[in-house]
Amino acid sequence: MIVSLAAKRLEISGVVQGVGFRPFLFVSAKKYKLKGEVSNTSNGVLAIVQGTDKNIKGFINDIYHKSPLLASVTRIKTKDVEVKQFTSFQIVKSKTSNSRTTLISPDVTICPDCLSEMENSQDRRYEYPFINCTNCGPRFTIIEDIPYDRPKTSMKHFKMCKACQTEYDDPLNRRFHAQPNACPECGPTVFLTDNKGNTIASDSKEAILLAATYLTQGKIVAVKGLGGFHLACDASNNNTVKTLREKKVRPHKPFALMAQSASVLFDHVHVSLEEQQLLESYHRPIVLLNKKQIQDGVVKGLGQDVSPLNKRLGIMLPYTPVHYLLLEKGPKVLVMTSGNRSGEPLSIDNDDALDAFSHMADYFLLHNRDIYFRADDSIAKVQAGEPRFIRRSRGYAPLPVVLKKKMPKILGCGAGLKNTICLTRNNDVFLSQHIGDLDNIKAYDFYQNSIEHLKQIFDIQPQIIAHDMHPGYMSTDYARAQDNVKKVAVQHHHAHAVACMAENDVDEDVIAITLDGTGYGTDSHIWGGEILLCTQKAFLRKAHLSYIKMPGGDAAVLEPWRMAASVLYQAFGNNFLSLDIPYIIEMEKEKLSFITQMMEKNLNSPLTSSAGRLFDAISSLLCIRHIISHESQAAMELEAIASDSLCLNENPCLDEDAYGFDIVKEKVKDKESLFQIDMMVCIRQIVEDLKQNISLSKISLKFHLALAQAFLDTTIKVSKDTQIKKVVLSGGVFNNDIILNTMIRTLEENNLKVYTHKKVPTGDGGISFGQVVIAAALEGN
């Protein structure tokens, strides 16, 4: 019987390089008795297969449904080709071209197979700190260019030994074409130095054992990881934790922790099933978890200064071999905070790290594999039953968010704080790793390098650059400095709203509630408590918090006592200076009088509708936080106080009465009506409760409920006026559980469809995503 042979050319796109994809195809081809070849290309993977039609169909079906864990197939372009004289199925040399559309895998945690080998004293990679295979290890942070082959990674400096090369060349081995493949004979090494750079241990095993011993003894060790440095210490040793805070000049901001396993955490924090799954995922983000407290916020077995004045701990599980070895041989829970100069990007270079924080660390656990691109740890938490990003970075970037519609090539420059950048190509929207606050030259250099690196590895030369309207952002300066490209200025809160719309595939009129700290408005005031009528192309402001003054301008962000004075002045006039409340007693009368004069004369007192500044005002008014040492500190501590009146669950019974507010409707230039949400009734009632010595927890909760109720009532009015029933929630204030949970529940109870963020951060880390979608919509896409 003559069997009719067919031949097809398969161009496979997605995350298909560096994830064991070609070996998977090799095995699958054997299974279906196919002949041909497969290779990496600049666009993904190219396979030529020939055999029976039935077997080729089975082969293609397996690609979609049985690909390796880390692979993500987005498209298979098939074409019939002429049958050739293949004698077998082979993996052949990569084929390059001028076009580059392949996707790049993020760095991922060590896999169970490698972990088992590392723990096996009979294995040649026993306790080897760079063990990896095609299913795990470094990717994005070691890539210089594509295709993803060893000569284009930082592993090009390490020639494989005979044993490693044999594994690398064997299609049936899980290290087949694992570009970082190495062993103690031929690969990178770990070594330990003191804080002057003098080598103490050059053998990897000895270095790690000594580092673990020093950690147990209460020393601070700088650890070079996947995407940069951490400063590590024993989380149970409060003296060391306090010393690290003093040396890092970080008095209050919570430290991230790394625990040996999820089971180690059960004495310290509440861990739901969803949170445990997030912790143990191969992305390995920092997960914010509620403390199990014994008293005064102190958690059993951990130093009290790990996360002061906060109800949560940010915890991750180990994701590199070095982490596992340190936690096995040293303390079971470590502080693992970012290793960098204050305000600057993560250090990734050995010499730079020694220069940057030798005054902080006692010892340095270094290695000789270069980090080509830094990546901070991702941060997530489970809110309203869903994992949500606070920071999307290591473990996720640079994977794209895939949209249903094609986009032109656009660069989104992002915001001034928590910056990310975004690049688009067809249906893919590439969100960068966390870049951070653009407020110094080193951060700006990292920002520019990130743009150039992503443009190179994804072969994207933007036709359009979208940027924030704020004239003072460094990201805006960057956009303006680019020549021969179209530029689009995007309003900050419109970008927030559209980011949420796009990730939920919503492309119609919506009501957007955007609550955050700062966004430059179309009236040149500072927005941040907004209800917008939005499409992906345009927006109309329908409501906002009534403007209050920011005495001292940017100084009011760092000193919430100024915002407390502002709301008291607006509610009581000059008479607020004689109020018999703790805030007035604690404040210096001269300062308050000076601030009052500034507001009376409108001197350096810009107007703001920011919900973030209102949170600051209440936090200071309750004498919780007058001056902050990190962003959102006052608001976070206000939420923590409010949560004392709630049970620990995602849908608390909010039976407290909210404070009052006024919703004022006015005409804007004889056109559309605009609602103003006046919270001065709330301020006056808070003052009365303070006089009555009502608990700060109850006052804070009633404020939270008042704000949620005010935006609910106003949204219902806007919905009735417009007949729009879809509502998106965006902005950093929605990182607040009380606000998010209350808004979702009450909006849905009023038959409104609510959309929230799950794929990109709800804060400013998602701004660049919204910017590119708006720019595409304006182009007609």
Side-chain angles (χ1 to χ4, degrees):
M1 180 179 176
I2 299 175
V3 178
S4 176
L5 293 181
K8 287 190 182 292
R9 173 189 173 98
L10 311 179
E11 296 179 20
I12 308 168
S13 304
V15 181
V16 290
Q17 292 189 16
V19 292
F21 198 79
R22 289 174 299 166
F24 159 72
L25 293 184
F26 180 88
V27 172
S28 187
K30 296 285 186 186
K31 170 184 172 183
Y32 287 102
K33 300 177 181 176
L34 301 179
K35 297 177 182 179
E37 64 183 31
V38 61
S39 62
N40 277 345
T41 72
S42 298
N43 301 322
V45 164
L46 173 65
I48 308 292
V49 292
Q50 59 186 45
T52 65
D53 277 327
K54 180 181 178 181
N55 284 356
I56 291 175
K57 286 178 182 177
F59 177 80
I60 294 173
N61 186 66
D62 280 5
I63 294 176
Y64 277 118
H65 300 291
K66 297 182 181 180
S67 289
L69 176 65
L70 301 183
S72 175
V73 175
T74 57
R75 185 186 181 199
I76 302 177
K77 184 178 179 181
T78 64
K79 180 182 177 182
D80 292 327
V81 293
E82 183 180 347
V83 174
K84 294 185 178 180
Q85 295 301 311
F86 288 112
T87 58
S88 63
F89 190 88
Q90 294 183 321
I91 298 173
V92 298
K93 186 178 178 180
S94 295
K95 296 176 170 62
T96 62
S97 67
N98 292 329
S99 172
R100 307 167 178 215
T101 59
T102 191
L103 301 182
I104 294 171
S105 168
D107 305 273
V108 293
T109 185
I110 181 174
C111 70
D113 289 333
C114 284
L115 189 59
S116 177
E117 290 175 354
M118 189 182 75
E119 294 172 343
N120 180 0
S121 61
Q122 303 305 309
D123 194 279
R124 71 188 189 93
R125 291 187 176 88
Y126 175 57
E127 294 191 348
Y128 181 55
F130 297 94
I131 189 170
N132 70 87
C133 68
T134 53
N135 299 319
C136 68
R139 297 291 190 276
F140 176 57
T141 56
I142 65 168
I143 290 175
E144 185 175 31
D145 202 353
I146 57 170
Y148 175 62
D149 289 324
R150 196 176 180 104
K152 294 182 182 294
T153 75
S154 60
M155 289 300 294
K156 65 186 176 185
H157 305 294
F158 303 95
K159 180 177 174 58
M160 281 182 282
C161 65
K162 184 176 180 180
C164 286
Q165 188 70 51
T166 299
E167 294 171 330
Y168 185 89
D169 293 335
D170 181 1
L172 298 180
N173 192 290
R174 78 173 199 281
R175 292 191 170 92
F176 175 73
H177 281 221
Q179 305 307 335
N181 189 32
C183 74
E185 296 298 318
C186 63
T189 58
V190 167
F191 56 100
L192 186 71
T193 76
D194 62 19
N195 57 11
K196 304 230 181 326
N198 300 310
T199 301
I200 298 172
S202 56
D203 175 77
S204 292
K205 291 181 182 178
E206 182 187 359
I208 291 170
L209 179 59
L210 267 177
T213 302
Y214 288 139
L215 287 167
T216 304
Q217 293 173 353
K219 302 299 184 182
I220 298 168
V221 180
V223 180
K224 186 179 183 181
L226 266 181
F229 276 82
H230 287 109
L231 288 166
C233 72
D234 182 357
S236 69
N237 188 329
N238 199 58
N239 288 332
T240 306
V241 173
K242 190 177 293 186
T243 298
L244 180 55
R245 284 205 175 278
E246 291 167 356
K247 289 183 174 182
K248 197 169 168 59
V249 193
R250 186 169 170 172
H252 306 112
K253 189 175 182 179
F255 281 145
L257 304 180
M258 181 177 283
Q260 186 180 29
S261 65
S263 61
V264 169
L265 301 176
F266 296 151
D267 286 339
H268 307 307
V269 288
H270 299 276
V271 185
S272 69
L273 177 61
E274 294 83 3
E275 288 165 338
Q276 185 168 344
Q277 289 172 342
L278 188 57
L279 276 167
E280 294 176 340
S281 69
Y282 64 79
H283 309 290
R284 285 295 201 272
I286 296 169
V287 181
L288 301 188
L289 301 167
N290 287 297
K291 292 178 179 177
K292 285 183 177 176
Q293 298 180 348
I294 47 177
Q295 66 179 63
D296 299 327
V298 180
V299 178
K300 178 182 177 182
L302 298 178
Q304 63 183 18
D305 288 308
V306 163
S307 179
L309 304 171
N310 198 295
K311 299 290 185 181
R312 291 189 179 90
L313 293 172
I315 304 179
M316 57 185 154
L317 298 183
Y319 54 87
T320 71
V322 168
H323 295 153
Y324 275 96
L325 293 167
L326 283 175
L327 289 161
E328 177 195 340
K329 301 173 186 299
K332 303 312 174 193
V333 183
L334 293 172
V335 166
M336 290 289 266
T337 189
S338 56
N340 60 307
R341 296 179 184 88
S342 180
E344 293 186 2
L346 273 180
S347 290
I348 58 175
D349 175 78
N350 292 350
D351 291 337
D352 178 68
L354 283 160
D355 181 61
F357 38 89
S358 60
H359 64 291
M360 303 182 205
D362 301 301
Y363 299 96
F364 284 71
L365 189 62
L366 306 174
H367 62 70
N368 60 348
R369 184 181 69 197
D370 291 335
I371 300 172
Y372 280 162
F373 230 69
R374 58 177 55 84
D376 282 91
D377 296 313
S378 295
I379 305 175
K381 67 174 176 176
V382 175
Q383 284 182 294
E386 297 278 358
R388 303 177 197 273
F389 289 111
I390 294 175
R391 178 199 294 168
R392 182 185 184 273
S393 195
R394 192 257 317 140
Y396 297 92
L399 289 178
V401 177
V402 181
L403 301 183
K404 288 184 177 178
K405 61 183 180 181
K406 288 190 175 182
M407 312 265 282
K409 293 179 179 179
I410 306 172
L411 165 65
C413 294
L417 299 177
K418 298 186 179 72
N419 183 274
T420 62
I421 64 104
C422 210
L423 284 164
T424 62
R425 185 187 62 208
N426 297 325
N427 302 82
D428 294 328
V429 182
F430 299 98
L431 196 63
S432 75
Q433 77 277 40
H434 172 76
I435 295 171
D437 298 349
L438 301 183
D439 53 10
N440 62 70
I441 191 63
K442 288 211 169 184
Y444 187 59
D445 287 345
F446 175 37
Y447 172 78
Q448 294 182 93
N449 291 338
S450 297
I451 293 173
E452 292 307 312
H453 186 62
L454 290 178
K455 283 166 59 178
Q456 176 183 341
I457 63 176
F458 291 123
D459 191 27
I460 298 173
Q461 290 303 317
Q463 302 158 350
I464 305 166
I465 293 180
H467 63 87
D468 199 279
M469 283 176 52
H470 198 301
Y473 283 168
M474 282 185 168
S475 55
T476 304
D477 291 340
Y478 172 87
R480 289 174 173 170
Q482 307 310 303
D483 295 325
N484 303 316
V485 62
K486 182 176 181 178
K487 294 156 197 170
V488 177
V490 175
Q491 201 282 322
H492 187 88
H493 299 96
H494 188 207
H496 265 309
V498 172
C500 188
M501 293 171 66
E503 71 163 271
N504 285 286
D505 293 320
V506 177
D507 190 6
E508 59 188 278
D509 287 359
V510 300
I511 298 169
I513 305 175
T514 57
L515 306 179
D516 67 356
T518 299
Y520 191 76
T522 54
D523 58 2
S524 299
H525 297 319
I526 300 166
W527 293 7
E530 314 301 316
I531 297 178
L532 309 177
L533 184 61
C534 279
T535 65
Q536 291 190 2
K537 185 181 293 188
F539 75 94
L540 180 65
R541 196 184 196 194
K542 296 297 291 182
H544 63 87
L545 287 172
S546 294
Y547 285 121
I548 54 178
K549 295 181 178 180
M550 288 178 62
D554 288 343
V557 178
L558 301 176
E559 300 178 1
W561 68 267
R562 294 172 181 262
M563 294 309 304
S566 176
V567 296
L568 289 173
Y569 175 74
Q570 187 148 330
F572 296 96
N574 284 334
N575 293 334
F576 88 87
L577 294 168
S578 60
L579 290 171
D580 183 20
I581 56 174
Y583 169 83
I584 297 297
I585 296 170
E586 285 191 16
M587 290 292 105
E588 295 178 28
K589 290 293 190 293
E590 295 79 10
K591 279 187 175 182
L592 291 179
S593 296
F594 179 71
I595 288 292
T596 303
Q597 291 177 39
M598 287 178 64
M599 291 188 286
E600 285 177 337
K601 297 175 182 179
N602 288 319
L603 296 175
N604 192 22
S605 297
L607 296 178
T608 183
S609 60
S610 165
R613 297 293 77 78
L614 185 59
F615 271 89
D616 288 350
I618 305 305
S619 185
S620 177
L621 180 55
L622 271 55
C623 296
I624 295 169
R625 179 61 54 188
H626 297 313
I627 297 174
I628 65 170
S629 62
H630 64 88
E631 188 191 4
S632 303
Q633 181 182 5
M636 289 165 62
E637 292 176 6
L638 186 66
E639 179 190 3
I641 291 289
S643 66
D644 286 340
S645 294
L646 297 174
C647 297
L648 181 64
N649 58 64
E650 289 297 331
N651 292 298
C653 295
L654 303 177
D655 56 359
E656 296 282 339
D657 292 327
Y659 289 122
F661 50 85
D662 290 322
I663 301 174
V664 181
K665 187 174 184 178
E666 62 178 79
K667 289 284 186 179
V668 181
K669 297 180 181 178
D670 297 324
K671 294 182 181 178
E672 297 286 338
S673 59
L674 179 70
F675 294 103
Q676 290 199 32
I677 303 168
D678 187 344
M679 299 299 292
M680 290 308 109
V681 174
C682 172
I683 301 301
R684 296 186 190 100
Q685 290 176 344
I686 288 174
V687 168
E688 288 304 310
D689 276 357
L690 288 170
K691 289 178 180 179
Q692 297 298 319
N693 293 318
I694 303 298
S695 75
L696 298 185
S697 176
K698 286 188 177 181
I699 294 174
S700 178
L701 180 57
K702 289 169 73 175
F703 163 71
H704 278 77
L705 299 182
L707 190 70
Q709 188 72 51
F711 275 90
L712 169 68
D713 291 355
T714 311
T715 300
I716 290 171
K717 291 177 182 294
V718 172
S719 178
K720 286 181 178 178
D721 285 352
T722 62
Q723 296 302 304
I724 295 172
K725 299 293 185 182
K726 293 185 175 182
V727 180
V728 301
L729 307 180
S730 189
V733 169
F734 287 108
N735 288 322
N736 181 308
D737 284 356
I738 299 172
I739 296 296
L740 180 69
N741 291 334
T742 306
M743 291 301 302
I744 291 174
R745 176 170 55 81
T746 55
L747 287 164
E748 289 179 344
E749 287 172 353
N750 283 274
N751 300 314
L752 296 172
K753 174 67 175 174
V754 181
Y755 297 91
T756 57
H757 289 282
K758 301 180 188 69
K759 298 177 184 177
V760 303
T762 190
D764 280 6
I767 286 291
S768 59
F769 183 75
Q771 288 173 342
V772 298
V773 177
I774 291 168
L778 290 170
E779 284 294 296
N781 293 90

